[in-house]
């Protein structure tokens, strides 16, 4: 069965510093991978997705993620953190090409220090 | 947001009472989902639907039932609410393009408290 593990339930970085949120997946077949962001008291928004077209995926708000099959990882990065990036981030995996189940990680809360 | 609304947005109920949450979408998407979100657990799938009257269980379906009599509405029912069902509930739909998953959109959430 597919699953995702997010390393670190809370990450804190200074404004302007690199953001790195870690996600490792488990899947016996090529996965579809996603990163979602959730701002306080809101639903989830899709940041970016990997569906095998390219290993480096660019998303909204300056975020990007790289699919590394050898490491079974899909880490999310942003070169320079902004105060507005403070939110909770979820990695998710789906191995089925049809629209059915997506499995979410437990989330990483990102805090930005002034 | 794919025209997803949830009602009610907030509800407080007593243990043992039945509760129904409604998810409504306006764009005729085939696939709909109910998740619950709890600290430290992320989002966990309760039930999902792949068409009118076609539903299936997710990973935490015990104590919940669903119904989908129309494309636009997906109802989640707690037959007899328990305190462990205090959570934030999210409805979602999936957009499929060319028989492949494109993206998933989420509703604004329903905060349910069972006292």
């Amino acid at each position: 069965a597919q699953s995702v593990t997010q390393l670190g339930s809370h990450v804190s970085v200074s404004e302007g510093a690199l953001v790195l949120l870690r996600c490792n997946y488990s899947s016996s077949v090529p996965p579809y991978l996603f990163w979602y962001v959730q701002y306080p008291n809101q639903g989830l928004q899709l940041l970016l997705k990997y569906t095998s077209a390219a290993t480096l995926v660019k998303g909204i708000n300056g975020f990007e993620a790289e699919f590394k099959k050898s490491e079974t990882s899909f880490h999310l990065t942003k070169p320079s953190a902004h105060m507005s990036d403070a939110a909770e981030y979820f990695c998710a995996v789906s191995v089925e090409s049809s629209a059915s189940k997506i499995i979410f990680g437990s989330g990483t809360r990102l805090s930005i220090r002034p | 947001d794919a025209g997803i609304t949830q009602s009610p947005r907030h509800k407080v109920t007593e243990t043992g009472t039945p509760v129904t949450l409604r998810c409504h979408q306006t764009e005729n998407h085939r696939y709909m989902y109910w998740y619950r979100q709890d600290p430290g657990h992320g989002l966990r799938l309760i039930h999902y639907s792949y068409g009118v009257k076609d539903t299936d269980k997710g990973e935490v379906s015990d104590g919940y039932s669903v119904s989908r009599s129309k494309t636009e509405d997906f109802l989640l029912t707690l037959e007899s609410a328990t305190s462990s069902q205090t959570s934030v509930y999210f409805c979602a739909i999936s957009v499929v393009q060319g028989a492949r998953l494109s993206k998933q959109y989420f509703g604004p959430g329903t905060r349910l408290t069972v006292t």
Side-chain angles (χ1 to χ4, degrees):
Chain A
Q2 63 274 25
S3 65
V4 290
T5 301
Q6 291 184 242
L7 302 176
S9 59
H10 185 209
V11 170
S12 179
V13 302
S14 298
E15 190 174 18
L18 171 71
V19 174
L20 170 61
L21 305 182
R22 300 177 186 273
C23 173
N24 287 90
Y25 70 90
S26 173
S27 174
S28 57
V29 298
Y32 294 163
L33 294 160
F34 310 83
W35 275 100
Y36 286 84
V37 60
Q38 183 180 33
Y39 298 102
N41 299 314
Q42 295 187 24
L44 277 72
Q45 302 174 32
L46 181 66
L47 268 180
L48 50 81
K49 64 179 180 181
Y50 166 76
T51 56
S52 76
T55 56
L56 182 62
V57 182
K58 294 187 182 298
I60 61 173
N61 301 338
F63 284 93
E64 63 182 34
E66 185 173 9
F67 173 71
K68 292 187 176 181
K69 184 178 179 180
S70 61
E71 300 177 7
T72 61
S73 68
F74 190 58
H75 301 333
L76 181 71
T77 60
K78 182 174 181 177
S80 178
H82 191 272
M83 295 301 292
S84 61
D85 294 327
E88 189 145 18
Y89 292 80
F90 294 92
C91 183
V93 63
S94 172
V95 294
E96 298 175 69
S97 60
S98 60
S100 56
K101 293 177 284 186
I102 296 179
I103 305 300
F104 286 83
S106 57
T108 297
R109 180 177 301 173
L110 177 64
S111 300
I112 311 297
R113 301 187 300 270
Chain B
D1 62 359
I4 304 171
T5 57
Q6 293 183 230
S7 59
R9 293 293 314 279
H10 302 272
K11 186 170 181 66
V12 179
T13 192
E14 293 183 350
T15 297
T17 60
V19 177
T20 295
L21 308 183
R22 178 180 183 241
C23 177
H24 179 78
Q25 55 133 337
T26 59
E27 299 185 1
N28 287 327
H29 293 293
R30 178 180 175 189
Y31 297 89
M32 299 184 75
Y33 310 79
W34 276 107
Y35 292 90
R36 60 178 290 176
Q37 183 178 25
D38 305 287
H41 291 279
L43 274 77
R44 292 180 291 176
L45 182 64
I46 304 171
H47 282 280
Y48 64 102
S49 169
Y50 41 94
V52 173
K53 297 186 180 179
D54 290 326
T55 64
D56 206 348
K57 296 179 179 180
E59 58 185 311
V60 290
S61 59
D62 288 348
Y64 302 95
S65 62
V66 290
S67 65
R68 193 164 178 204
S69 58
K70 298 184 292 184
T71 299
E72 58 266 36
D73 290 325
F74 191 32
L75 304 181
L76 177 71
T77 297
L78 290 65
E79 301 291 347
S80 178
T82 67
S83 59
S84 65
Q85 294 176 310
T86 292
S87 186
V88 180
Y89 291 85
F90 286 98
C91 175
I93 61 94
S94 283
V95 175
V96 178
Q97 294 177 338
R100 300 184 66 171
L101 176 66
S102 175
K103 57 186 65 175
Q104 200 169 52
Y105 292 101
F106 287 81
T110 294
R111 185 174 296 275
L112 176 67
T113 302
V114 183
T115 61

